């Protein structure tokens, strides 16, 4: 953990223990520097992290103060629920069309700002490979995919402490193909699967396509994942597979702690259930260490781990993979009947790029940029969102998941903002089975400027209008 994160964590604990009361001043930057022995910039970074988390606020030239703890805790219903027939694809289709136009501000997009992902070295290598005849030959890129690329990916697992060989890896066209083929290999129509209550719409689409019945686990307000509801679902239903996202979750942003992951692994073994883990944002952490995937905790080969280069080098690379282990063969069979193989040209260029340590440098730069931007958006929204709204700052990725009062409908806000050429992602896409739709996801990977600030003002204004038009509680009649 970085020194600034450690300091932020200690200060957060002290605020929670009420060492300082709301509106009391924290030690000045200079005092904190002397107290902690850390540099001024490290201390400033820690204070800014607390500010982005809404725990402190800055007063001009006066210092940092403890914020009011007025943020209501979400009402929390720990029930699991069953959805027998999922229908979401059409809504996702129309939503994606609606935000695709070039003049729509892309706060609804699932992908980071392409400018941040642009990588000159990778482009040069791609251009070089594009000129070689061999780059288009399919032989080495057929399932399970380019051998050198699989070795590089396997090494990345080993470096994080997991046993892995290139035979475990199948290269796919993006993570979406890896996830879909894994689910197809493990289920039959009518089977029960577990999803998180709020989850990437691709999971709902996959359930729709394969005719699966979905059990949802409620979103835990503190830990992100509700272990007891998970266990209850495993006891109550004949679950075949879980599709979970535990690192930098889309849309909510949290990363589940290692104790919970360890317990999930035990439960998978106990109930003989497989897990398909969607881990496409794992590289976008702001902490020093990459969060561990479930594969790390899995001692009984129950986990299929899926990821890609879409969120780090660009969605257009369309190269992903699944650490499929014993299911490698089944997945390759399905791949042969669908896309055949991922692009040989891009697989070859990636091998060259990843072999020369360019990627780590690119990732470090990308993480720094995303962290700065996320803090900037948080700072603005903390000050300008109506008081009844809330969101958490998670130190990874580029999404903010904003909770509005329960009576607000984020789909209506999305429709209104579209008329101002502003895109956002309403919660209907992520939790279609839920009665209340009072959340929205915001992509904050675009550089702050006047146009962005104006759009954020417009967003706050639409939310305020939506709150104003909420039905007022009726006054008791006399
Ligand atoms: C959570 C999640 N999983 C998977 C994907 C698909 O990734 P890929 O572009 O690599 O297919 C996305 C894309 O937005 C995503 O947000």
């Amino acid at each position: 953990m970085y020194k600034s994160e450690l300091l932020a964590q200690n200060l957060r604990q002290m605020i929670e223990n009420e060492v300082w009361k709301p509106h009391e001043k924290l030690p000045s930057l200079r005092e904190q520097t002397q107290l902690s022995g850390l540099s001024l910039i490290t201390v400033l970074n820690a204070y800014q992290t607390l500010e982005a988390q809404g725990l402190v606020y800055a007063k001009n030239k006066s210092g940092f103060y403890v914020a009011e703890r007025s943020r209501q805790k979400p009402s929390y219903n720990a029930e699991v629920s069953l959805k027998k027939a999922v229908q979401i694809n059409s809504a996702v289709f129309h939503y994606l069309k609606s935000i695709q136009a070039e003049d729509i501000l892309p706060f609804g997009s699932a992908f980071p700002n392409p400018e941040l992902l642009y990588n000159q070295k990778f482009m040069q290598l791609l251009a070089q490979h594009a000129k070689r005849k061999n780059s288009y030959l399919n032989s080495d890129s057929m399932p399970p995919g380019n051998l050198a690329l699989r070795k590089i990916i396997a090494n990345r697992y080993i470096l994080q402490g997991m046993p892995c060989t290139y035979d475990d890896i199948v290269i796919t066209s993006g993570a979406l193909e890896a996830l879909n083929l894994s689910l197809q290999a493990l289920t039959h129509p009518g089977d029960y699967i577990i999803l998180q209550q709020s989850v990437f719409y691709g999971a709902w689409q996959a359930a729709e396509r394969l005719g699966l019945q979905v059990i949802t686990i409620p979103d835990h307000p503190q830990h992100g994942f509700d272990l007891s509801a998970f266990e209850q679902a495993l006891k109550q239903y004949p679950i075949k597979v879980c599709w979970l996202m535990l690192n930098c979750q889309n849309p909510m942003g949290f990363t589940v702690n290692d104790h919970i992951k360890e317990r999930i692994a035990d439960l998978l073994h106990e109930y003989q259930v497989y897990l398909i883990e969607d881990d496409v944002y794992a590289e976008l952490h702001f902490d020093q260490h990459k969060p561990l995937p479930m594969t790390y905790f899995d001692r009984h080969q129950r986990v299929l781990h899926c990821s890609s280069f879409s969120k780090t080098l660009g969605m257009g690379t369309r190269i992903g993979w699944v650490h499929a282990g014993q299911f490698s063969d089944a997945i390759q069979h399905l791949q042969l009947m669908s896309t055949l193989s991922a692009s040989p040209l891009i697989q070859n260029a990636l091998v060259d790029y990843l072999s020369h340590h360019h990627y780590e440098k690119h990732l470090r730069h990308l993480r720094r940029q995303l962290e700065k931007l996320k803090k900037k958006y948080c700072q603005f929204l903390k000050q300008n969102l109506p008081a009844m709204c809330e969101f958490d700052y998670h130190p990874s990725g580029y999404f903010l998941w904003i909770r509005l009062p329960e009576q607000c409908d984020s789909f209506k806000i999305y429709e209104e903002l579209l008329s101002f050429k502003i895109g956002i992602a309403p919660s209907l896409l992520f939790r279609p089975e839920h009665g209340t739709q009072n959340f929205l996801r915001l992509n904050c990977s675009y550089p702050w400027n006047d146009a962005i600030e104006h759009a954020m003002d417009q967003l706050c204004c639409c939310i305020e209008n939506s709150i104003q038009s909420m039905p007022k509680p009726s006054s008791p009649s006399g």
Side-chain angles (χ1 to χ4, degrees), residues 110-111 174-176 179 200 245 250 278 280-281 308 310-311 318:
F111 292 93
L176 201 55
L179 291 157
F200 168 52
M245 213 181 162
N250 177 11
D278 180 354
V280 289
Y281 298 88
S308 74
S310 298
K311 312 290 177 177
R318 300 311 306 136

Side-chain angles (χ1 to χ4, degrees), residues 46-63:
Y47 277 31
Q48 283 175 339
T49 298
L50 294 175
E51 189 184 13
Q53 291 172 341
L55 292 169
V56 305
Y57 61 95
K59 263 197 210 170
N60 225 358
K61 297 205 177 123
S62 161

